[in-house]
Amino acid sequence: MSRSPKHTLPLVASASLAMLSGCASIPASGPTSHDIVRSVRAEQNQIGMRLVDIDPTVISDLDVRNEAADHRVSTIASLALSASNDVVGPGDVLSVGIYEVGASLFQGGRSSLQGDVQPSASSENFPNVVVARDGTIKLPYAGTLQVAGLTPAEIQARVEHAYLGKSQSLQAIVLVKENLSQTIYVSGDVRRPGRINLSLQRERLLDAIASAGGSVTQTQDMVVRFVRGGQVVEERLDRIQAGAPDDLVLVAGDRIELVREPQTFTVFGAVGKVSQVSFDQTDLTLAEAVARAGGPNDATANPRAVYLFRFDPPVELGQKGAPTIYRLDMMQPQDYFLAQHFAMRNKDVLYVSNAAINRTAKFVAIINQLFSPFVAARTVAQ
């Protein structure tokens, strides 16, 4: 026996009341502000989360904490050393010229002198003298000479000393024809990776990157991986200023690699869409991050409860980072000023909480869908 619409409506109303008790289980895009506060205070808070309202004291404390964390991170400047880049090393190709007056060891050589000179003047040129792996060269009548680590002027003196007593008034001229030992290497996300020869100009880190064609993308997304003497230090390219301590004077054997690692933060909750957003600049504030996220959704968000989740760096070495939730109240004018001084960090999570009324609104929409067929049936029956 079927029931009439007027008998069915009370049953639907009873069922609706039962559903009302389960309103909290209606799907949502994330927790409400009440849910977040309760989770911090609950016994289930096993990771030690703490909730902090953003105020001037918090901003000042964060500045101190961030500065302490930055000081603990090794910078490229820590690898600075004093070294000469005008010395000869294995693999270099030298040009050695021998000039003699009077008794000559190299009788077959032609005189390279012009004008009024002694007819007994002569010269001999050795255009391709390669420095061996052990750092030595060999010259006729001089034997084996150790030259690695010497400048061309010092090698000239050593060559002249080797010929003492064997030649009369001998002079030597030594030039570096091919410099293979005084080189550095640039690789990674640069336009022209490869080997770069160092000169007496004492090239710096940024000079080498410029010689390699520069970064393939904006500097804010690049990390410099610098290798010297077996030590590796990484630093963001946009933090290195020309002529600053981190813009090191390069020495032979240095290796520079540019690696693309954009700084990003993620956005969840009552915003236009869940997304990962790139910093695209050297420093990014919370105010700018909220704007890039599109701001709180007028229809679903609770502007009094904008949260930022991060592991705060420890103040002292050996301590653990604290999982912290920072709360911004966008209904308070002063919080807009504070947000302009709150620095974002890489991998921060920005969450705009849902308004508590959202679940009730969804429930009402469900009830309307349930009631609509019966209201229509009752109208027809009348």
Side-chain angles (χ1 to χ4, degrees):
M1 180 176 180
S2 63
R3 297 180 182 271
S4 65
K6 67 178 181 179
H7 291 102
T8 305
L9 286 175
L11 294 177
V12 174
S14 299
S16 300
L17 291 175
M19 292 176 60
L20 185 60
S21 62
C23 182
S25 63
I26 294 177
S29 60
T32 64
S33 179
H34 175 73
D35 295 332
I36 292 175
V37 173
R38 184 177 58 186
S39 66
V40 172
R41 296 174 179 173
E43 295 180 357
Q44 290 80 5
N45 183 7
Q46 298 179 354
I47 63 173
M49 294 183 299
R50 62 191 185 105
L51 180 62
V52 178
D53 286 310
I54 297 177
D55 59 29
T57 302
V58 169
I59 297 294
S60 178
D61 178 68
L62 279 175
D63 289 341
V64 173
R65 186 183 293 269
N66 290 337
E67 184 177 359
D70 291 339
H71 281 313
R72 287 194 297 270
V73 176
S74 296
T75 62
I76 292 176
S78 65
L79 299 182
L81 57 82
S82 178
S84 176
N85 59 5
D86 61 347
V87 298
V88 169
D92 289 348
V93 179
L94 307 179
S95 174
V96 181
I98 305 296
Y99 299 86
E100 302 174 278
V101 176
S104 175
L105 283 172
F106 306 98
Q107 296 292 337
R110 294 182 178 180
S111 174
S112 61
L113 305 176
Q114 302 294 330
D116 296 332
V117 296
Q118 298 183 29
S120 60
S122 63
S123 67
E124 184 73 21
N125 186 45
F126 302 99
N128 296 298
V129 180
V130 180
V131 181
R133 183 178 300 178
D134 60 358
T136 63
I137 60 172
K138 289 185 178 182
L139 294 175
Y141 307 114
T144 301
L145 303 178
Q146 185 70 39
V147 299
L150 302 180
T151 66
E154 291 170 336
I155 297 174
Q156 287 176 189
R158 183 158 293 189
V159 171
E160 292 172 355
H161 183 270
Y163 284 115
L164 281 178
K166 301 177 182 178
S167 177
Q168 183 179 358
S169 301
L170 181 144
Q171 292 184 359
I173 295 180
V174 177
L175 301 175
V176 178
K177 190 173 181 180
E178 293 183 27
N179 183 355
L180 299 180
S181 64
Q182 297 299 314
T183 57
I184 56 98
Y185 300 86
V186 183
S187 62
D189 294 315
V190 292
R191 289 183 172 84
R192 295 191 300 273
R195 185 177 62 193
I196 296 176
N197 293 336
L198 299 178
S199 70
L200 296 179
Q201 294 295 323
R202 295 175 61 81
E203 289 83 357
R204 291 178 175 269
L205 170 60
L206 294 182
D207 298 332
I209 293 175
S211 297
S215 167
V216 297
T217 186
Q218 58 187 359
T219 59
Q220 291 85 355
D221 291 341
M222 284 296 175
V223 170
V224 178
R225 183 174 296 153
F226 191 87
V227 183
R228 171 176 286 179
Q231 294 181 285
V232 182
V233 174
E234 294 184 356
E235 188 170 350
R236 302 205 74 85
L237 178 58
D238 62 330
R239 300 288 182 182
I240 303 173
Q241 302 298 318
D246 290 323
D247 188 19
L248 288 182
V249 174
L250 301 174
V251 300
D254 286 345
R255 292 183 177 271
I256 303 165
E257 181 183 7
L258 262 60
V259 183
R260 188 174 184 272
E261 292 184 5
Q263 294 189 99
T264 61
F265 65 94
T266 48
V267 183
F268 296 92
V271 291
K273 65 176 182 178
V274 174
S275 59
Q276 183 182 45
V277 184
S278 176
F279 279 26
D280 289 336
Q281 63 188 67
T282 300
D283 297 300
L284 185 72
T285 65
L286 178 56
E288 293 168 328
V290 172
R292 291 194 183 187
N297 188 307
D298 289 341
T300 60
N302 177 8
R304 291 188 178 276
V306 176
Y307 295 96
L308 185 133
F309 293 74
R310 73 158 54 140
F311 275 94
D312 269 336
V315 177
E316 297 181 2
L317 191 64
Q319 295 180 344
K320 292 183 178 180
T324 306
I325 307 172
Y326 292 96
R327 178 164 53 190
L328 178 71
D329 185 351
M330 297 192 67
M331 297 301 289
Q332 297 294 328
Q334 70 167 8
D335 281 27
Y336 285 81
F337 290 101
L338 295 173
Q340 294 180 55
H341 294 278
F342 189 103
M344 296 288 289
R345 296 185 74 92
N346 192 28
K347 306 308 179 185
D348 277 349
V349 175
L350 183 63
Y351 176 74
V352 180
S353 68
N354 289 267
I357 195 65
N358 286 348
R359 291 176 178 172
T360 303
K362 288 183 179 180
F363 175 76
V364 171
I366 293 173
I367 294 300
N368 286 337
Q369 292 177 357
L370 290 173
F371 269 103
S372 294
F374 297 103
V375 171
R378 183 177 182 181
T379 300
V380 171
Q382 292 176 348

